[in-house]
Amino acid sequence: MGNKRRVVVTGLGVVSPVGSNVETFWQNLLDGYCGIETITRFDTSDMPIKVAAFVKDFEPSDFGIEPAVVRKHDRFAVFAAAASAQAVKQSGLDSSEGGNIDPMRFGVYMGTGIGGFETIYRECHKMATEGPKWVSPQFIPSIIGNIASGLIAIRHNACGPCLPAVTACATSTHEIGEAFRAIKFGYADAIIAGGAEAPLIPIGVAGFANMKALNKETDPKRACLPFSADRAGFVMGEGAAALVLEEYEHAKARGAEILAEVVGYGNTCDAHHITAPRPDGVTQARCIKDALNEACFDSSKDELYINAHGTGTHLNDISETMAYKVALGDYAYKAHISSTKSMTGHMFGAAGAVEAAVSVLALKNGVVPPTIGLDNPDPECDLDYTPGKAVKADLTIAISDSLGFGGHNGCVAFRKL
C-alpha cells in the first residue's frame, strides 16, 4: 500500500430542502432561497414548533431507485441512495466487470445520526395498537444506521471498506474525514462518503422541542437566524449528501473531472457536556487547526471560506465564533464565513456532507453563499458571516466544521486545483 497519497473529489450528490440535485441546490443557495416551511405533513396543533425544512420535488425513480426499494427502506436510506447515485454518476466510476475501478478498492462511508426514525415511529405505533404480529419483517433492516451504507454498496458493487459512523451532527463530516484517511494511506482507491437523515416526524419534533433546542418562530423566513442577535434555536431539516473521494492518480488516469482536493481533517471532543458546546472554543479550535495544518494553510497567501456549523442556537454561535478566533487569530476577521443552515435547516447526520459539498462548490465557482436573515448581527459574533447576499471571492481553500451532541467536533479542508 502507498503512503500519504493525494485525495480528490470527483462526484457530488445532494437531496435537500433547497434542491434534490446539485445544480438546483447550488443556485438556490446563491439566490438566498429559504427551504424552511410551515409543517403540513402532520398535525402540530398541540406542539410549539410549526416550521421545518422538508425535502421537496424528490422522486426516487429519477435516481434509478425502484419502488420496491422505497417500500422496504426508511426515508433516510432512500435519500442516501439518491445522493450517492448522483455522486457516482458524476464521478464516472464503474465497478462492474471491465470497469474503471476494482470493486475491492471501492468503499462506502455513509452515516446517519439517528437512522430509521420514521420506521421506528410507525412500527411502534402498530405494535401498540395492533399487536406484535403486525410489526413489519423489514423493521430491523430498515432502522439500523448502517443499512444505507449496505444498500449503496450493493447498488454500486462497492466491496471495499464500509464504515458507517454515528457522531450526531458531526457524522458525515467524520465520514468524509475517515474516507480521506483510508484513501490517503492506501486502504481504498475511491469511497462514497456522506450522510443522511429523515427525522421530521411528530416524536422527533417533540423530542427536540422539549429539550428547548428549536426556534418557536412561526414565520419560516425568521426561524433560522445563525449569528443573529434574534436567534432562538435551530430548525429541523432532512436530506442527504454524498461525495465521491478518489485517489488523485487513479482519477487522473481515467480522465475524471476533479472538483477539489481533500487536504485536511480534524477530529476532537469537547469532553464538556452531552449537548452544550464547550464555551471557550478550545477543543473546537484544535479540530479546525488540525485540519488547516494538514492542509498547509498559509494565512499570508490563502483566501479561506468556512462553512460554519452555524445552527442559530445561542451557545453554538458564540462558542463557534470563539473557536475561529482561537484557531485563526487575526485572520479570523479576514475569512469568508457563512451558515447555509439558514436556508436548509439543520440536517443532523447529513449536515456535514451537505456543507462539505457547499465548500467544494464555493471553491470551484469562486462564490461564497450567504447567511440569510442576518440583518441584526450579535455583537459577540463579529466575524464576516456573509449576510444576505452571495459574494464573489478568489477562494483557494475551504473548510466545513461540524459540532455534534456528545461534544463531537469534525472539520474537513478542501483546496482548489
Side-chain angles (χ1 to χ4, degrees):
M1 291 184 294
N3 187 37
K4 296 187 178 180
R5 307 186 307 166
R6 294 175 70 184
V7 182
V8 295
V9 180
T10 56
L12 298 176
V14 175
V15 175
S16 84
V18 299
S20 292
N21 61 72
V22 173
E23 294 76 16
T24 302
F25 167 77
W26 179 240
Q27 189 59 56
N28 279 337
L29 290 181
L30 296 187
D31 291 343
Y33 170 74
C34 182
I36 300 165
E37 60 187 298
T38 301
I39 298 171
T40 57
R41 189 184 296 176
F42 50 84
D43 182 16
T44 62
S45 59
D46 59 350
M47 293 183 182
I49 304 304
K50 306 299 181 185
V51 301
F54 292 91
V55 166
K56 307 166 189 66
D57 303 321
F58 175 66
E59 178 49 62
S61 62
D62 291 345
F63 310 101
I65 301 171
E66 304 84 357
V69 172
V70 177
R71 286 195 305 271
K72 290 179 179 179
H73 290 277
D74 190 87
R75 189 172 170 86
F76 92 94
V78 176
F79 287 159
S84 298
Q86 294 175 52
V88 172
K89 182 178 180 180
Q90 182 180 22
S91 76
L93 284 172
D94 176 7
S95 59
S96 63
E97 187 174 351
N100 55 22
I101 187 168
D102 178 352
M104 293 295 182
R105 304 283 299 167
F106 190 22
V108 182
Y109 283 27
M110 179 63 62
T112 179
I114 302 172
F117 211 5
E118 189 172 37
T119 301
I120 293 170
Y121 182 64
R122 181 185 65 244
E123 297 300 320
C124 284
H125 179 73
K126 285 163 63 176
M127 175 78 174
T129 58
E130 301 176 46
K133 71 177 182 178
W134 295 104
V135 173
S136 170
Q138 288 293 127
F139 175 56
I140 299 302
S142 294
I143 69 170
I144 51 180
N146 68 305
I147 207 67
S149 279
L151 175 63
I152 292 162
I154 292 167
R155 295 182 74 84
H156 298 286
N157 193 34
C159 304
C162 192
L163 186 67
V166 179
T167 51
C169 308
T171 291
S172 50
T173 298
H174 287 144
E175 292 283 40
I176 294 164
E178 295 300 325
F180 162 62
R181 284 183 177 168
I183 297 170
K184 179 177 179 177
F185 289 102
Y187 296 99
D189 292 328
I191 295 176
I192 304 164
E197 209 76 84
L200 298 180
I201 56 174
I203 196 170
V205 175
F208 279 106
N210 290 350
M211 66 179 295
K212 312 299 182 186
L214 305 181
N215 195 334
K216 297 179 182 179
E217 175 62 59
T218 57
D219 179 356
K221 293 185 178 180
R222 298 298 300 168
C224 190
L225 301 172
F227 307 109
S228 169
D230 303 322
R231 70 189 184 280
F234 66 78
V235 173
M236 294 177 69
E238 62 175 0
L243 287 73
V244 171
L245 273 55
E246 188 171 355
E247 193 273 324
Y248 174 69
E249 295 296 340
H250 188 279
K252 191 169 71 169
R254 65 184 188 85
E257 179 188 5
I258 294 172
L259 306 177
E261 183 173 2
V262 192
V263 287
Y265 170 48
N267 179 353
T268 65
C269 186
D270 289 350
H272 168 70
H273 189 273
I274 59 169
T275 56
R278 183 166 169 147
D280 62 10
V282 171
T283 46
Q284 302 97 310
R286 176 58 182 267
C287 181
I288 293 165
K289 288 176 74 172
D290 283 351
L292 287 173
N293 287 342
E294 187 174 12
C296 298
F297 170 70
D298 185 339
S299 61
S300 68
K301 297 178 181 178
D302 280 317
E303 188 154 358
L304 172 66
Y305 168 58
I306 302 172
N307 189 291
H309 190 57
T311 59
T313 65
H314 180 73
L315 293 177
N316 176 95
D317 294 2
I318 291 175
S319 66
E320 192 171 4
T321 300
M322 179 66 71
Y324 295 143
K325 293 176 180 178
V326 173
L328 296 167
D330 291 341
Y331 188 89
Y333 290 92
K334 299 177 182 178
H336 301 276
I337 313 172
S338 65
S339 171
T340 45
K341 286 186 179 72
S342 60
M343 295 172 274
T344 67
H346 193 347
M347 297 163 69
F348 303 104
V354 169
E355 292 157 13
V358 174
S359 301
V360 170
L361 291 166
L363 278 177
K364 185 174 183 293
N365 294 287
V367 184
V368 177
T371 304
I372 67 168
L374 186 53
D375 49 18
N376 183 25
D378 184 339
E380 291 188 78
C381 301
D382 57 347
L383 303 179
D384 179 7
Y385 287 111
T386 320
K389 293 183 178 181
V391 174
K392 291 184 178 180
D394 187 18
L395 304 171
T396 59
I397 187 168
I399 62 171
S400 174
D401 72 297
S402 300
L403 318 176
F405 283 176
H408 300 286
N409 305 309
C411 183
V412 287
F414 304 91
R415 271 201 179 276
K416 184 175 182 178
L417 280 183

